Amino acid sequence: MMPRKSISSFILRSIACSLLLLVVAGACAQRSPHRTSKEEQERLRMKQIDDSIPWFRGFQVKADLVGVIEKMASSYGQYEAGVRFNLKDKYFPVVELGYGKADESNVVSGTSYKTSAPYGKIGVDFNILKNKHDIYRFYVGLRYAYTNFKIDVDHAPLTDPVWGGQSPFSAHDVKAHYHWAELTAGIDAKIVGPLHLGWSARYKRRIAHDDGELGNVWYVPGFGKQGGSRITGTFDVMLEF
């Protein structure tokens, strides 16, 4: 027979283990509902904030500095400004207008190219941050853009390979147009008062175009150098009202 002392010790150990298991199980059972409750409370709090915020939250007036610097440092660039409307800090319809200009002379080929014209864009940005009402915003967006422009091309006199002699070549007021789309991603942050600063990266993709009778225009106002696609960026100064 097992000694009475050993039986008592075995019973006590069993009771202690059972109590410990009950305590651990109770703690685990309470932890999950508690965590869920806190997450649910936070979700309800954010929903209450969203419900209390009106649809129209104001608008931003913004201007891009990259195009200005580009025009100062090279033979082409643009001046661009826009208005972005704030709907519930989530959706931001935007209109952007600009004026692009190029005046390029190639001393090697003896060719000069000039154009200047306005362009326009319309689209929408989406704030994808979890907290939509923070002073910081992270946008992804889409634009449709269009420009109708004229180009002037002058070339050094060409030598006739058969008869000799030289013939000047020039074409002025050649009509062309471009349609393109832009995928955007960027941020903006409140600095002080109504002042916001932000930047964006933009992937531009040509949709349809007409280069005019000469073909292969060198520069497109608002789009940049001619081609099927381009990657550009902006640095925006904004006032929010």
Side-chain angles (χ1 to χ4, degrees):
M1 284 182 68
M2 183 181 294
R4 183 175 299 174
K5 185 175 181 181
S6 299
I7 294 173
S8 300
S9 177
F10 175 76
I11 292 173
L12 289 174
R13 284 200 300 269
S14 299
I15 293 173
C17 289
S18 299
L19 291 174
L20 180 61
L21 289 174
L22 286 173
V23 171
V24 172
C28 292
Q30 290 178 359
R31 187 178 304 169
S32 179
H34 181 65
R35 182 181 302 169
T36 303
S37 177
K38 291 186 70 173
E39 292 176 354
E40 182 67 16
Q41 289 175 6
E42 180 64 17
R43 188 188 70 81
L44 290 175
R45 187 181 72 84
M46 293 302 297
K47 186 176 184 304
Q48 289 174 352
I49 293 175
D50 287 340
D51 291 342
S52 66
I53 288 178
W55 263 97
F56 182 69
R57 294 276 287 158
F59 63 95
Q60 289 179 336
V61 177
K62 63 193 188 76
D64 171 43
L65 299 184
V66 171
V68 177
I69 295 172
E70 186 178 46
K71 183 66 183 72
M72 293 172 62
S74 68
S75 60
Y76 60 90
Q78 64 274 338
Y79 310 100
E80 183 175 297
V83 179
R84 181 158 52 193
F85 301 94
N86 183 348
L87 304 180
K88 267 193 168 308
D89 293 334
K90 298 179 181 180
Y91 315 108
F92 296 82
V94 60
V95 176
E96 294 169 339
L97 300 175
Y99 191 84
K101 187 175 182 180
D103 188 353
E104 170 73 6
S105 296
N106 190 313
V107 295
V108 176
S109 64
T111 304
S112 65
Y113 178 95
K114 292 182 180 181
T115 187
S116 58
Y119 61 90
K121 305 177 186 178
I122 186 170
V124 61
D125 291 329
F126 303 92
N127 181 8
I128 62 174
L129 286 181
K130 184 176 181 180
N131 182 1
K132 310 294 184 187
H133 316 297
D134 203 345
I135 62 172
Y136 303 98
R137 298 180 186 131
F138 182 24
Y139 303 104
V140 295
L142 180 67
R143 306 280 191 278
Y144 163 74
Y146 173 76
T147 184
N148 192 327
F149 58 104
K150 296 179 181 180
I151 61 175
D152 295 337
V153 177
D154 294 288
H155 197 283
L158 301 175
T159 302
D160 191 314
V162 178
W163 303 103
Q166 292 185 331
S167 301
F169 172 80
S170 64
H172 290 179
D173 293 331
V174 178
K175 295 181 180 180
H177 65 255
Y178 248 61
H179 301 258
W180 72 93
E182 296 184 7
L183 296 176
T184 68
I187 62 172
D188 85 42
K190 179 177 179 179
I191 305 303
V192 60
L195 178 63
H196 287 235
L197 296 179
W199 61 265
S200 72
R202 304 194 174 199
Y203 172 73
K204 301 179 179 181
R205 183 68 183 178
R206 186 175 64 195
I207 301 173
H209 71 292
D210 180 1
D211 288 338
E213 60 188 35
L214 297 180
N216 293 325
V217 297
W218 181 74
Y219 171 84
V220 179
F223 184 85
K225 287 186 177 180
Q226 190 269 357
S229 63
R230 289 184 60 80
I231 296 177
T232 63
T234 67
F235 182 81
D236 296 312
V237 178
M238 296 161 279
L239 294 176
E240 186 166 304
F241 304 97

